[in-house]
Amino acid sequence: DAGVTQSPTHLIKTRGQQVTLRCSPKSGHDTVSWYQQALGQGPQFIFQYYEEEERQRGNFPDRFSGHQFPNYSSELNVNALLLGDSALYLCASSLWQGSEQYFGPGTRLTVT
Amino acid sequence: DAKTTQPPSMDCAEGRAANLPCNHSTISGNEYVYWYRQIHSQGPQYIIHGLKNNETNEMASLIITEDRKSSTLILPHATLRDTAVYYCIVAGNTGKLIFGQGTTLQVKP
């Protein structure tokens, strides 16, 4: 079992650009959640996808959007990048909405 | 805001038990206590969770007080590889985890 995988590992973008991050959940998991972790802080919940729909959302602007595909994989899109979007983006999957979550290694996004 | 309070840092000698406390005085009846840890530059790792009974698995034990207002994570024989930030999280069935600052556990030889 490969566990939760994320791509790419690292990414450098310029202010104003758009970025797409990808996540494949652990085998058998159908729920995917995304988190943003700034340096020195705990992860912050962005949103959760289940049955290809956004089910929960944290306090993030509409520039952050997502998608879940029929195979349960997911994408996180961020538009109009700001310097403050520089962070580690974590994907987590779970068997169902409320069960324990298993995290991927994250994507390190740097906005210059 | 996180619904838990943890000490910012703790030390533990290698081979000894590490006892990490967590206060969650406003926990609701249907909320679970979860523990995750994050080793530097990696994604958080699920450790254990419980509702009101004590729980044990291959990684750790979770002791929840009878009033459920606090809990303790016990790593029975800490190793250097247990050095990490440990997060105590109170969450319901929505799957929305709210992380605080956690406790940085340093295991020393």
Side-chain angles (χ1 to χ4, degrees):
Chain A
D1 183 5
V4 179
T5 60
Q6 294 186 242
S7 62
T9 306
H10 296 88
L11 202 52
I12 299 175
K13 289 286 189 179
T14 304
R15 274 179 300 176
Q17 286 188 318
Q18 179 263 345
V19 69
T20 297
L21 310 181
R22 295 176 176 82
C23 171
S24 291
K26 187 176 168 67
S27 177
H29 289 187
D30 61 8
T31 301
V32 173
S33 301
W34 287 91
Y35 295 80
Q36 179 196 66
Q37 186 173 24
L39 206 58
Q41 304 295 318
Q44 287 193 63
F45 177 81
I46 303 175
F47 43 52
Q48 178 193 72
Y49 276 83
Y50 170 67
E51 291 187 336
E52 302 180 49
E53 289 192 16
E54 184 181 295
R55 300 292 179 171
Q56 300 273 332
R57 189 176 183 94
N59 188 26
F60 280 80
D62 292 345
R63 299 187 297 108
F64 289 78
S65 63
H67 189 77
Q68 185 179 35
F69 299 93
N71 67 353
Y72 310 123
S73 66
S74 177
E75 287 182 350
L76 164 65
N77 300 292
V78 187
N79 294 322
L81 284 167
L82 304 173
L83 294 179
D85 295 331
S86 294
L88 180 67
Y89 288 84
L90 296 159
C91 170
S93 73
S94 55
L95 270 174
W96 52 280
Q97 277 185 284
S99 63
E100 62 270 24
Q101 297 179 26
Y102 292 83
F103 286 78
T107 293
R108 172 73 61 187
L109 172 66
T110 302
V111 182
T112 61
Chain B
D1 290 344
K3 298 179 66 173
T4 61
T5 304
Q6 300 177 252
S9 63
M10 292 182 64
D11 289 341
C12 177
E14 189 178 19
R16 304 297 294 268
N19 296 278
L20 292 91
C22 179
N23 287 320
H24 31 80
S25 57
T26 61
I27 190 170
S28 300
N30 63 348
E31 290 181 318
Y32 291 77
V33 179
Y34 286 86
W35 283 84
Y36 286 80
R37 72 181 181 183
Q38 188 171 26
I39 297 169
H40 184 62
S41 298
Q42 298 181 20
Q45 178 188 22
Y46 166 78
I47 302 173
I48 198 168
H49 75 283
L51 185 62
K52 51 185 175 182
N53 297 322
N54 297 339
E55 302 287 344
T56 295
N57 63 19
E58 65 279 3
M59 289 184 67
S61 295
L62 173 60
I63 309 297
I64 302 174
T65 59
E66 193 168 342
D67 63 7
R68 304 212 318 129
K69 292 185 177 181
S70 66
S71 61
T72 302
L73 178 74
I74 301 172
L75 306 178
H77 306 287
T79 71
L80 298 179
R81 286 181 291 183
D82 292 321
T83 292
V85 178
Y86 287 77
Y87 295 100
C88 169
I89 301 167
V90 164
N93 286 333
T94 64
K96 180 178 178 179
L97 301 180
I98 299 176
F99 288 77
Q101 293 294 99
T103 295
T104 298
L105 174 69
Q106 182 72 47
V107 180
K108 298 186 173 181

